[in-house]
Amino acid sequence: TANALLLNQLLMPYIEDASNSDESREKLFVYFGTFSRSMLSLFEITLGNWVVIARMLQENVAESFMLYSICHKMTFGFAVLGIVNGVVMQGAFKV
């Protein structure tokens, strides 16, 4: 939840800046415009198609956000979910 709030707050100045194109501002709002949208986007990065969001952030905002997406996926997508998967598999083999 802290990551979603952080991304929402970091991207709001870009979304509110009228000098940026309306199309890129709208795309960012769809993914990170509110806290709940940010949570859903981070859930998607963790479990689903993270490349779409990473590319959108890289092309529209800054390349550093793409690095953030990769680090988030590597940390939560592989490490944490790998541990959860291991616990579930261990429980299944006990039966």
Side-chain angles (χ1 to χ4, degrees):
T1 59
N3 285 333
L5 186 58
L6 174 69
L7 277 176
N8 177 262
Q9 293 301 311
L10 287 175
L11 294 172
M12 282 312 289
Y14 185 91
I15 293 170
E16 294 171 346
D17 188 1
S19 66
N20 297 319
S21 72
D22 289 339
E23 182 182 345
S24 67
R25 292 170 57 206
E26 185 176 338
K27 281 183 183 179
L28 280 173
F29 183 81
V30 167
Y31 286 107
F32 300 103
T34 63
F35 175 70
S36 58
R37 289 174 186 258
S38 294
M39 283 290 294
L40 181 61
S41 296
L42 285 179
F43 182 76
E44 185 177 359
I45 289 173
T46 303
L47 298 175
N49 190 6
W50 63 276
V51 177
V52 174
I53 296 174
R55 289 227 183 254
M56 187 260 314
L57 288 171
Q58 175 190 5
E59 292 171 0
N60 293 319
V61 184
E63 289 186 5
S64 58
F65 284 104
M66 179 266 311
L67 182 62
Y68 174 83
S69 299
I70 290 173
C71 290
H72 180 82
K73 178 65 176 177
M74 297 296 284
T75 302
F76 292 102
F78 295 132
V80 174
L81 293 177
I83 292 170
V84 170
N85 188 25
V87 169
V88 170
M89 293 299 286
Q90 183 180 13
F93 285 130
K94 283 185 178 179
V95 173

